[in-house]
Amino acid sequence: MVALGYIVPTIIAIFFVGFFAPLVGIVVGFFIHIIVLLLRISKKLDKLMDRLKDSENSSS
């Protein structure tokens, strides 16, 4: 999925910036990658917080 975040912007950029399309693809893909990583980390933190709440409730 992350690879598509680099490939798709590069293909689209070919029509607009031509020779500099790989640079545009890398820059846009980098930001897409950061967003995907933040979403994954957020989901894992939510799961950990739920486990922590469950363990606090069961021990009380």
Side-chain angles (χ1 to χ4, degrees), residues 18-54:
F19 180 74
F20 296 105
L23 293 175
V24 172
I26 289 171
V27 171
V28 173
F30 175 76
F31 288 112
I32 291 172
H33 197 161
I34 294 298
I35 291 169
V36 168
L37 287 176
L38 287 174
L39 290 173
R40 286 183 181 178
I41 291 170
S42 175
K43 287 179 184 178
K44 289 190 180 205
L45 284 175
D46 288 342
K47 288 180 184 177
L48 287 173
M49 293 299 290
D50 289 340
R51 286 185 188 176
L52 182 62
K53 286 180 185 177
D54 291 340

